[in-house]
Amino acid sequence: MFFRTNKFQYNAKPSAPDPLYAQKLQEVLGGQWGEISVMMTYLFQGWNCRAPAKYRDMILDIGTEEIAHVEMLATMIARLLETSPVEVREDAAKDSVIGAVMGGARVEDVIVGGMNPQHAIVAGMGATPTDSVGYPWNARYTISSGNLLADFRFNVTAESQGRLQVCRLYEMTDDPGVRDMLSFLIARDTMHQNQWLAAIKELEEDGLDQTPAPMSFPQEKELSQVAYQFWNCSEGTESRQGQWAEGPTPDGKGQFEYLADPQPLGEEVTELSQLDPRLHGTPKKPMPPVSS
Amino acid sequence: MFFRTNKFQYNAKPSAPDPLYAQKLQEVLGGQWGEISVMMTYLFQGWNCRAPAKYRDMILDIGTEEIAHVEMLATMIARLLETSPVEVREDAAKDSVIGAVMGGARVEDVIVGGMNPQHAIVAGMGATPTDSVGYPWNARYTISSGNLLADFRFNVTAESQGRLQVCRLYEMTDDPGVRDMLSFLIARDTMHQNQWLAAIKELEEDGLDQTPAPMSFPQEKELSQVAYQFWNCSEGTESRQGQWAEGPTPDGKGQFEYLADPQPLGEEVTELSQLDPRLHGTPKKPMPPVSS
Amino acid sequence: MFFRTNKFQYNAKPSAPDPLYAQKLQEVLGGQWGEISVMMTYLFQGWNCRAPAKYRDMILDIGTEEIAHVEMLATMIARLLETSPVEVREDAAKDSVIGAVMGGARVEDVIVGGMNPQHAIVAGMGATPTDSVGYPWNARYTISSGNLLADFRFNVTAESQGRLQVCRLYEMTDDPGVRDMLSFLIARDTMHQNQWLAAIKELEEDGLDQTPAPMSFPQEKELSQVAYQFWNCSEGTESRQGQWAEGPTPDGKGQFEYLADPQPLGEEVTELSQLDPRLHGTPKKPMPPVSS
Amino acid sequence: MFFRTNKFQYNAKPSAPDPLYAQKLQEVLGGQWGEISVMMTYLFQGWNCRAPAKYRDMILDIGTEEIAHVEMLATMIARLLETSPVEVREDAAKDSVIGAVMGGARVEDVIVGGMNPQHAIVAGMGATPTDSVGYPWNARYTISSGNLLADFRFNVTAESQGRLQVCRLYEMTDDPGVRDMLSFLIARDTMHQNQWLAAIKELEEDGLDQTPAPMSFPQEKELSQVAYQFWNCSEGTESRQGQWAEGPTPDGKGQFEYLADPQPLGEEVTELSQLDPRLHGTPKKPMPPVSS
Amino acid sequence: MFFRTNKFQYNAKPSAPDPLYAQKLQEVLGGQWGEISVMMTYLFQGWNCRAPAKYRDMILDIGTEEIAHVEMLATMIARLLETSPVEVREDAAKDSVIGAVMGGARVEDVIVGGMNPQHAIVAGMGATPTDSVGYPWNARYTISSGNLLADFRFNVTAESQGRLQVCRLYEMTDDPGVRDMLSFLIARDTMHQNQWLAAIKELEEDGLDQTPAPMSFPQEKELSQVAYQFWNCSEGTESRQGQWAEGPTPDGKGQFEYLADPQPLGEEVTELSQLDPRLHGTPKKPMPPVSS
Amino acid sequence: MFFRTNKFQYNAKPSAPDPLYAQKLQEVLGGQWGEISVMMTYLFQGWNCRAPAKYRDMILDIGTEEIAHVEMLATMIARLLETSPVEVREDAAKDSVIGAVMGGARVEDVIVGGMNPQHAIVAGMGATPTDSVGYPWNARYTISSGNLLADFRFNVTAESQGRLQVCRLYEMTDDPGVRDMLSFLIARDTMHQNQWLAAIKELEEDGLDQTPAPMSFPQEKELSQVAYQFWNCSEGTESRQGQWAEGPTPDGKGQFEYLADPQPLGEEVTELSQLDPRLHGTPKKPMPPVSS
C-alpha cells in the first residue's frame, strides 16, 4: 500500500510561463522513455518478481520514487502553462501567449503555432499523460518479462534514453527554475544507470543468470554453428573493423567469426500448399465456385 | 538498395500444421520484441547514423539479416496454417482443425478456441504483422536516438527479450521442424547479444561515450548531491543488501550511498495559480459567467 | 434503417477561411469527447438496449441527431480550409496561408506552423476523423455496457466535457459564422446534459437501478466494513473538510467515516512462488539449464 | 512524494491457480475502466487542480489509494498464473493447464484456448497492464479537464462501470480467495460512487459550478431556442414517454419541449468551393495539368 | 441531417445463440474492412467532396445505407450473445455456453475459450465496435483524400476485402438466419463493387482524372526514364512472365520495360554530417562535454 | 534472404536543410500511404502467396525495391534536419532553425512552431517511422488477404494515394534536390499503378478471379434480388445521373436498377431478449438483487 507526503521530492517551479516549452517537456513525462514509463515498468517488475527479496524490494523502491518524478513534471508543466497573476487580475492577457490563444487574433496565432492545442481545449492548461507530439502514453512501454537480466538491461536502456532526452531538453531552455529541476532528474538518471548496471553484476555474481540470457536454456540445443558468426550482408567490409568481428566473445564462450560472403543455409524457396477452397484465396489454377 | 536471393537463410518448414501454435509464434514475428522490431530498429539506426563508418555498416548488416528472419517466420506461420495435402485433395478437411473452422461444428469450435480468427477471416491462412494476441506491430517499437550507447543498450535488451521469448516458444512445441528453425534463431540471438555487448565496449574504447550516457553532457551541471544516492522509499531495508547500495559505482566516478529514511528536498506542495477565466476551469471561489 | 435530408440541422458556414482554427476545431469532431464519440456511443447503446422501449427509442433519437452534428462540423472544417474564390481564380494564392503552404516559402512556413500538415497532404483540405493533434478517433471512446445507469452517467459526462470544449473553442475565435454554429452546439449540449440527468431520474423512479450501481448485485456480498470509509492516504487532513468525509451518504444507506490514519488490512507482502523452470524466469537460487 | 508499506491494503490470494480467470481479471487491472485508469485519472486531476485545497487533497488521497488496488490486482493475477508447488518440485506439471502450455500436447492445447499467450511468452506468468483481450492500457483513459464538475461526473461513471465489471467478474468465479478480494473492491467502489456524488453536491453548494457545466459560460450566448428541445429523429414517438420529453428540466432553468417532427434549421446543402489546383483534388470540370 | 425508420434494411435474426460465432462476426462490424469503415469512409468522402453534385449525392447515399448495415450487424451480434428464454426463466443457464461463463466451472471454461471475454465483462452481451480479436476500430480506416479516383479505387478495394470476409464467415456457420443476412450483405457488396467500378469509368469519361492518378500533375515533371520499367530485384526472372513486364501499359502512354539486372542510379552511400553537439548524439570522434 | 548494396536507388540529397519540410516529408515515409506501408504490404503478400510463381516473384520484387525507397526517404529526412557545416564548425548555430531550437530563445520559438519536437528530443535529428503529425506507423497498414484480386486492388489504391501525396509534397518545396528525388518517386508510382492494373488483367485472363471478387463464392447463394440495385437513401435524385444507376454492370452479369424511394426489407425493430441476471444489465422491469 502507498502513502503520500506534502512535499515534492525536489523543486518544480519555473521562473516564467512558457507554453511552447511545456509541450516539449511532455516528452519526458508521457513519452516512451518518460517518467510514467519507468514508474509503471519498475512497479510491474516488482509486483511480478519471483527472485530473492532484495531484488523485489530494490525494484519497488525505485518504482515508488518514480511516482514522485511524475508528480514533479506534471506540476512543472501545469505551471509553465499558467498566465501571470497580473494578467488574470486584469482579465486581459493581451500580450501573453495564452492571451493570444484566447483572443484568437490572427497575428498571435502564429505565435502559438507550436503550442499543443489540447493543453488548452482538453486539459484546461494542465499536464497530460502524452508525449511532445500529443501521442498518448500506452502500456507497451511497460516491460516486465519475469527474467531479471533481460529486464535490467531494459532498465539501463530506459535510464540512458531518458537521461539523453532530459539533457536535450536542458539545452532547449534557459529558465533557471526549469534547469534546476532538470539537473535533479539528470543526476537521478546517473544514479539509476549505475544502479541497474550494479544490479546486473549482482545477478550474475549470484549465479541467477548470465550472457546469453536466459542462461537457463541449454546452449547445446541452439545451432552452435552460427552462434558466434558475423554475417556481412552487404558489399564492402567496413563492418569487419570492430571487436564484434573477431576475438573472444563477451560471454567468454566463443570466438567471433566474420563471414565476408555469407551464403543462405536454407532450402530453395518453394511454393506454399493450396488452401481449403472455402477460404476463397487465389488458387494455383482456375477452379469452379464452391461453398459448404 | 536491396536485393533478394531465392533461398531462406535457414530452414522454415514445420513437420505438421498447427494453427494454435501459429498464433503463439506470431509473438516473435510481429510482437514488441519480435523480428520486425529489430529489423526496423537496426535499419533506422543505420540510416540515421552519424558515427564512424564501421558502426553504420555493422548496424545495417544486422538490419539486413533480420529481414531474412522476418521472411522465415512469416513462411513458417503460413505453413503451420496449412491443411495437409490429403485434406485439400479430398475437399473434405473433416477432422482437422482447419476443417473445424470451416465446418462451424459446435464441438470443433471448442478446438479452435485458441486460434486467431483473423488468420482465417483476414489473412486467408497467412502470417500477419501482429503479435500473439493479434495486436498490430507499431513503430514505437523502433528505437533510434542518434546516441549509439543508448541505442546499443536497447539492442542488447531486444536480443535478450527476444531470445527469452524464442526459448519459451521452443518449450511449447515438440515439432522437430519448428524446433530446428528456433534453434537457429536462438543461436543468432546468442551472437547478437554478444555482438552488441562488444559494440558497447568498442564505443567506450573509441572514446565516443561512457556511463552515464550521454557523457557529452557536463556532469558538473547535474545536481551532484543526489547522483549516487539510493532512496529507500519503503518500510524495511531489504533493498540495502545489494551492491547497488554501497561501494564504488560502475562508472568509476562515485560511491553508492544508502538513504534508509529519505526526506523530500522540494517545497511544500502549494496551490497552482488561477487561470484565464475564459478557459472555464474550476476557480478557487465563485465567479460570474464571462466570455470574450 | 437511415435516411438523409438535403439540409443541415443548423448553419455551418464560416465568415472566412482559417486553417489554424480548423485544426483546433477537429477536437470536437474527432476527439475523445467529440461528436463522433457521442454518435457512436448512443447508437451502440441503443442497438444493444434490453430495457423498456422508451429508453431504446430515446437513445437512438439522440444518436441519430448526432450524425447531423458530425456532418455540420465536417463541413465547417472543410470550409475553414478553403482559399477564397479570388485566390483560386487567380491561381495564385500568394498571400494567404494556403498559398504559403503551397509555395513553400521560408517566411510563410512560419505562419503555417500551427496548421495540421495532414489537412493538405492526406485530406486535400477536407475534414478528418482525428482530434486537434491529429490523433485518430478510436472505438474505445464508445461506451455501451448493457447497464443504463452506468452508461447514462457516462453520457452526462460526455455532454459536460463536450460542452466545456466547445465553450473553450468559442473563446478562441471571433468569426461570427463559426460562433453561430457553436452557439447551436452549446445549446444542444445544455439540452443533452439535462436530458441524461432526467433519464437517470426516470431509471431510478422506474426501479430499474440506483446507487451503488449496479443495484442488482446484493450489497450483503460486499465487504460492508469499508463501504463508506474515506481513507486519508496522506499527511494532513484537508480532505476531511468536505461532505464526502462525514454525514449521510448520497445513496441513503450509510454514513461517511473518515479514517485519518488508515492501516492496511491485508497480509504482509510475501514472496511469489517459483515457476515452471521451462519459462526461464529468474529463480530464487541458481539452477542448472533445463529444457523439455 | 510517495512511500510504500510492506502490506497490501487487503488480501490478494486465490485459493488455487486459474490462468483462464487471470486473463479475465486483467480487465479490471488494465482495461478502460480498470484500476490503472482511476489511479492515473485521479493523480492527474489532483496535480492539475486549481480549485480550493480540500478538493485537491481529497482527489489525491483517492488516487494514492488506487495505487494499492493496482498492486493487489497485479499480485492476484501473478498468483492465479502460478503452478502448484508440487508441480514445480516434480518438474512435471503434466496435468495442469500450465503444464499443457509448456508441453504443447494437442489435447491440452484445447484447454488453454482461453489463456492469454502473452502471460506465458511475454510476461513469464506475471500480470500485464493490458485488458482481458490483451489490448494495452493507454492514456486516453485518463481524464483531467481542469473543470471539476465535468471531471467528477466522469469519476462517478468510472466507479459505476468499474463496480459493474467487478460484479460480473465475481459471478464468473467461485474461488473464495478471489471473491474475498473482489468483495473488498466492490465495497470501495460503493464508497467512491458515493464520494464523488457528494463531491458534486459540495461543488455546487460552494457555488463553483452547476448544470449546464461549465456554468461560467454565459447562457445568453447559446442559441436558447433549442436549449431544451427533444428532437424526435425517427418514426414513432416512444421517446416521448419519459420525463426527458416534458416538464421542468433538471437545471431548473427551463421546460422540456418535444418536437415530434423536427425540421432542419440549416441551409440547403450547397457545394464546397474549388481548391488550389496544386492540391490535385478532383475539380468540378476538367482542367489541364498544372504544377508550381 | 439524418432520420431513422423502425425497420431493419434486411433480416438480422439468428436461429440460435452462438457466442463463439459472435466474436468472429465482429470482424465485419468493427474490423478494418468492416461496415463501420465503409460507413465512415463514404460519409467523409461525401462531406469533403468538391466534385460535381452527382458524385457527392451518390457517395452520401451509399454512406447512409451503410449505417443500416452497421445496425443489422450490431443487432445480430447482440442476439447471438443471448441465452434462450428458457434459461433466463429458470435462472439456471446450466448447460449453455453463457451458463458456463457465468458458472465459472472448469470444464465449461474450455468451451468458452474462444469467446471474447469483453462481450460479457465490458458490453453485457452487446456488440462492440471492435474486430474479431477485440482490437478497437480506429479512424485510420477512414480514407478521404479529396481525389476521387484515388478514393474510388480504395472503395473498390474495401468492397472486395469486405465481400471476401463475409464469404469466409458464411462458410463458418450453418445457422440459416445468419446465412440469410450474410447473403444480403454479399449481394450488396456485389452491387457496390460494380458501382465503384462504374463510378471510376464515369470519372474518366467526365475527364476529371485518369491513370496515373492524379492526372493533374504534369507528367513531364516526373523522371520519365523510370516511369515504365520493371526492376527485377532478385535472382531468377519468374517475374518476367506477366503482362506487367512487356507490352503496352494500361494507361496507354508507354511500354513496359523489364530490367533483369537493375543497377542503382543513386550516389554511393556517404556519411551524414555532424550535429550540433548540444544534441548529444554520437560524434565521429571524441569530443569534450559541452552544454549551452 | 536479402543483401544490401552501397548505393542508393536514386539521389537523396537536399540542396539545403529544412526541418519544417522534413516533418511534412515524414508522411510518405511513415504515413498510412507511405513507403513503409507498401514495403511491408508487398513483402507479406509475397510470403503468403499461394498463387502461381510468377505472381509471388513479381510481388516480392516490388517489395524489395520499396526497401530502397524507405532508405532514400529516411536519408533525405536526416539530411533535411542537419545544420550547415559552417554552423557546426562555429559551434554557434545562432541564426538557423536548429539554432533556435537549441537556444530556446522566445522569438525563435515561433520559427520552430511547425517542427516536430521529437525529431530533436527523441531521434537526435534522424528520420522516424512516423507520419507528418508524429503518429507512429502501425501494421494495420499492411494488407495481405490471400486473395490477390482483392489485394491488387488495394495495391492500385496505395500507389494512387501515394502518388497523390508525393505530388502534393512536390508542390510544397522548391528545393531542387528534394524535387529531383520526388520526380523519381512519382515516376515509380506511375509504373506501379500501371503494373498492378496489368496484374489485375493478368489474373482475370488466367481465370483466377473476377468481379465480384471473390468469384469462387457461388453467386446463386447471394440474395440476387438486391445484387444490382442502387438505393437512393436521400431526398432528391442527383445520384441517378451516373452510369452506376442504369445500364449494364461492369461485371457483365446484370443491369443497374435505381430505387428512387427504397423501402426496408427487414422486420420491424423488436426488443432484444432478457439476459442472465448475473450480468447485471438493465432489465425490462424491476428485479431483486441476485448473485450466484
Side-chain angles (χ1 to χ4, degrees), chain C residues 12-280:
Chain C
K13 206 169 223 164
S15 305
D18 185 346
L20 304 192
Y21 191 77
Q23 169 167 9
K24 294 183 191 125
L25 195 55
Q26 285 281 159
E27 189 65 37
V28 288
L29 172 56
Q32 178 159 16
W33 300 110
E35 299 289 355
I36 296 177
S37 293
V38 285
M39 172 186 97
M40 291 287 281
T41 288
Y42 300 160
L43 290 176
F44 270 84
Q45 284 179 9
W47 291 326
N48 287 333
C49 183
R50 300 175 194 276
K54 66 179 174 184
Y55 290 102
R56 176 188 171 91
D57 196 47
M58 178 269 286
I59 297 168
L60 285 174
D61 280 351
I62 316 187
T64 305
E65 181 187 344
E66 301 289 0
I67 312 177
H69 295 193
V70 174
E71 181 182 47
M72 283 190 287
L73 275 163
T75 303
M76 176 63 87
I77 288 170
R79 285 169 169 169
L80 284 165
L81 291 167
E82 282 174 355
T83 43
S84 71
V86 176
E87 286 166 350
V88 172
R89 212 172 330 111
E90 297 185 356
D91 202 18
K94 278 290 184 288
D95 44 277
S96 73
V97 174
I98 303 293
V101 184
M102 302 313 300
R106 176 61 14 126
V107 175
E108 289 89 335
D109 269 358
V110 175
I111 302 178
V112 298
M115 187 180 164
N116 180 340
Q118 293 195 329
H119 273 156
I121 304 171
V122 176
M125 301 301 171
T128 55
T130 59
D131 64 21
S132 64
V133 294
Y135 186 78
W137 189 90
N138 79 79
R140 283 287 190 273
Y141 303 159
T142 301
I143 302 302
S144 170
S145 73
N147 181 290
L148 290 189
L149 181 48
D151 285 355
F152 288 176
R153 284 171 168 177
F154 176 82
N155 300 353
V156 174
T157 305
E159 300 289 350
S160 303
Q161 301 277 356
R163 192 174 185 274
L164 175 64
Q165 294 186 355
V166 179
C167 289
R168 285 170 174 169
L169 281 160
Y170 184 98
E171 311 283 9
M172 292 182 195
T173 183
D174 49 18
D175 181 299
V178 174
R179 284 198 156 189
D180 183 32
M181 185 188 77
L182 297 183
S183 77
F184 175 82
L185 293 176
I186 293 170
R188 293 311 288 157
D189 287 348
T190 294
M191 170 58 188
H192 291 154
Q193 279 186 35
N194 277 284
Q195 179 173 347
W196 293 119
L197 288 170
I200 288 172
K201 198 145 153 282
E202 181 95 355
L203 202 62
E204 290 173 342
E205 291 176 9
D206 283 353
L208 295 178
D209 218 328
Q210 67 181 33
T211 303
M215 83 166 185
S216 54
F217 185 81
Q219 239 179 311
E220 63 270 21
K221 295 213 170 185
E222 68 181 34
L223 192 74
S224 56
Q225 158 193 7
V226 300
Y228 297 103
Q229 287 176 342
F230 188 102
W231 288 45
N232 174 44
C233 297
S234 65
E235 299 172 355
T237 56
E238 291 91 335
S239 58
R240 171 168 253 153
Q241 298 158 20
Q243 55 190 289
W244 50 73
E246 64 180 344
T249 56
D251 65 6
K253 299 171 187 165
Q255 292 283 324
F256 284 120
E257 177 188 0
Y258 188 83
L259 300 194
D261 182 24
Q263 295 304 314
L265 301 173
E267 47 173 340
E268 190 82 21
V269 172
T270 55
E271 302 191 0
L272 298 177
S273 300
Q274 293 297 79
L275 278 188
D276 189 308
R278 291 167 300 173
L279 277 167
H280 303 293

Side-chain angles (χ1 to χ4, degrees), chain F residues 31-98:
Chain F
Q32 178 159 17
W33 300 109
E35 300 288 354
I36 296 177
S37 293
V38 285
M39 172 186 98
M40 290 288 280
T41 288
Y42 300 160
L43 290 175
F44 270 83
Q45 284 180 9
W47 291 327
N48 287 334
C49 183
R50 298 175 196 276
K54 66 181 175 184
Y55 290 102
R56 177 189 171 90
D57 195 48
M58 179 268 287
I59 298 169
L60 286 174
D61 279 350
I62 316 187
T64 306
E65 181 186 343
E66 302 289 1
I67 312 177
H69 295 192
V70 174
E71 181 183 45
M72 282 189 289
L73 276 163
T75 303
M76 176 63 87
I77 289 171
R79 285 169 169 168
L80 284 164
L81 291 167
E82 281 174 355
T83 44
S84 72
V86 176
E87 285 166 353
V88 172
R89 211 170 333 109
E90 297 186 355
D91 203 16
K94 280 289 184 286
D95 45 278
S96 73
V97 175
I98 304 293

Side-chain angles (χ1 to χ4, degrees), chain D residues 8-238:
Chain D
F8 293 113
Q9 191 186 10
Y10 193 70
N11 308 317
K13 207 168 222 166
S15 304
D18 184 346
L20 303 193
Y21 190 77
Q23 167 166 11
K24 294 183 192 127
L25 195 54
Q26 286 280 162
E27 189 65 36
V28 288
L29 172 56
Q32 178 159 17
W33 300 110
E35 299 289 356
I36 296 176
S37 293
V38 284
M39 172 186 97
M40 290 287 281
T41 289
Y42 300 160
L43 290 176
F44 269 82
Q45 284 179 9
W47 291 326
N48 286 333
C49 183
R50 300 176 195 274
K54 66 180 175 184
Y55 290 102
R56 177 187 172 93
D57 195 48
M58 179 268 286
I59 297 169
L60 285 174
D61 279 350
I62 316 186
T64 305
E65 180 186 344
E66 302 291 359
I67 313 177
H69 295 193
V70 174
E71 180 182 49
M72 282 191 289
L73 275 163
T75 302
M76 175 64 86
I77 287 171
R79 284 169 170 167
L80 283 165
L81 291 168
E82 281 174 354
T83 43
S84 71
V86 176
E87 286 167 351
V88 172
R89 213 177 326 112
E90 296 186 355
D91 201 16
K94 278 290 184 288
D95 44 277
S96 72
V97 174
I98 304 292
V101 184
M102 301 312 301
R106 178 56 18 125
V107 176
E108 290 92 333
D109 269 356
V110 176
I111 303 178
V112 296
M115 188 179 163
N116 180 340
Q118 292 194 330
H119 272 155
I121 303 170
V122 175
M125 302 302 171
T128 54
T130 61
D131 65 20
S132 64
V133 295
Y135 185 78
W137 189 89
N138 78 78
R140 282 288 190 272
Y141 302 160
T142 301
I143 303 302
S144 170
S145 73
N147 180 291
L148 290 189
L149 180 48
D151 286 355
F152 288 177
R153 283 171 169 178
F154 177 82
N155 300 352
V156 174
T157 304
E159 301 289 348
S160 303
Q161 300 277 357
R163 192 174 184 271
L164 175 64
Q165 294 187 353
V166 178
C167 288
R168 284 170 174 167
L169 282 160
Y170 184 99
E171 311 284 9
M172 292 180 193
T173 184
D174 49 17
D175 181 301
V178 175
R179 285 198 156 190
D180 182 33
M181 184 188 76
L182 297 183
S183 76
F184 174 83
L185 292 176
I186 293 169
R188 293 311 288 157
D189 286 348
T190 294
M191 169 59 189
H192 291 153
Q193 278 186 37
N194 277 284
Q195 179 173 346
W196 294 119
L197 288 169
I200 288 172
K201 199 145 153 281
E202 181 95 356
L203 202 61
E204 292 173 341
E205 292 176 9
D206 283 353
L208 295 178
D209 218 329
Q210 67 182 32
T211 302
M215 79 166 185
S216 53
F217 185 81
Q219 239 178 312
E220 64 271 20
K221 296 213 171 186
E222 70 182 32
L223 192 73
S224 57
Q225 156 194 9
V226 300
Y228 298 103
Q229 286 176 339
F230 187 102
W231 287 46
N232 175 43
C233 298
S234 65
E235 298 173 353
T237 56
E238 291 93 335

